[in-house]
Amino acid sequence: MAIIEVRDLKKTYKIGSVEIPALRGVSFSVEPGEFVAIMGPSGSGKSTLMNIIGCLDRPSAGRYILDGRDASRLSDAARAAVRNRKIGFVFQSFNLLPRMSAFKNTLLPMMYSTERKSKKAARQALESVGLGHRLHHTPMQLSGGEQQRVAIARALINDPPIIFGDEPTGNLDSATGNEIIAIFQKLNQAGKTVMMVTHEPDIAQHAKRILRFRDGLLESDESVAEQLIAVTIHERSGSGKNAD
Ligand code: ADP
């Protein structure tokens, strides 16, 4: 069964009397455990699509089935609850709260748990992205790559089955971007479904499948013949422990 299924999805924005068709009838489905890159020129409808399948916005027409449930007709509150359980978001600009520590930023989406359980989960999430030693640093005290890893820890805190990245490497140099992609691949190997918008063809080659959009339509849907595997600096330098 597909975890994400969209059927003839349409979205039209209205500004005054002007209608802007951002999505003009898009259909595809994603199975659990896929790693999908979303590509396409600026204005092709990628953000509009991600907002809808991320349960941040509603389509004008068409259906969106998320993990067996019709998400196109949910109330705002029900959509927010589904989003919180099913999807972790990672954005280009990290979107961390500047005055809060890595630990508190990671804790933010925690809703359905006791305090003790939440704190343990936040610590584990930060450890899983290699930041166990940076719990009490604020974003300003962290590098860009570390900030993005905090954002990934925050996305993981509720253990959602789906991770969405909106150009997650867009603000990072290529070595640091590579580290972030390595984490996405590790999460995918562990069973998470990953969807990621990217402008960079070589980043997209780290996915298993590429959906290309143009003018609000799905232009192509291809599987990646030879998926690139991101090797981190840590792994490249050999044994690991004393790598740096
Ligand atoms: P992409 O993410 O591929 O750059 P978008 O989904 O942001 O594309 O935009 C698709 C089209 O919809 C563009 O023509 C854009 O100008 C328009 N658009 C996007 N968001 C809005 C909005 N909130 N109001 C009006 N038009 C919008």
Side-chain angles (χ1 to χ4, degrees), residues 34 37 51 70 81 89-90 110 129 135 137 139 153 167 177 186 220 223:
E34 286 202 69
N51 285 343
D70 192 339
F89 291 90
V90 180
M110 258 302 194
V129 295
L135 299 184
H137 285 55
E167 294 195 53
K186 200 175 81 182
S220 69
S223 53

Side-chain angles (χ1 to χ4, degrees), residues 51-72:
N51 285 343
I52 294 170
I53 57 182
C55 292
L56 296 162
D57 199 2
R58 243 191 287 246
S60 311
R63 300 236 298 167
Y64 170 33
I65 312 293
L66 171 58
D67 211 5
R69 202 164 160 202
D70 192 339
S72 29

Side-chain angles (χ1 to χ4, degrees), residues 60-110:
S60 311
R63 300 236 298 167
Y64 170 33
I65 312 293
L66 171 58
D67 211 5
R69 202 164 160 202
D70 192 339
S72 29
R73 286 169 187 81
L74 295 177
S75 68
D76 289 354
R79 245 197 357 258
V82 170
R83 177 171 68 234
N84 207 51
R85 263 201 321 275
K86 300 282 182 192
I87 304 166
F89 291 90
V90 180
F91 301 96
Q92 177 174 7
S93 51
F94 321 139
N95 292 10
L96 301 176
L97 294 183
R99 289 178 198 282
M100 280 192 183
S101 68
F103 182 68
K104 289 205 166 141
N105 265 289
T106 304
L107 261 178
L108 275 178
M110 258 302 194

Side-chain angles (χ1 to χ4, degrees), residues 35-41 46 50 165-170 181 195-207 210-212:
F35 187 158
V36 182
I38 309 271
M39 300 195 77
K46 304 181 298 295
M50 293 300 270
D166 189 357
E167 294 195 53
T169 62
I181 292 301
M195 291 193 77
M196 170 182 77
V197 174
T198 182
H199 282 295
E200 299 162 78
D202 50 327
I203 293 286
Q205 292 299 316
H206 292 78
I210 303 178
L211 301 179
R212 281 177 219 277

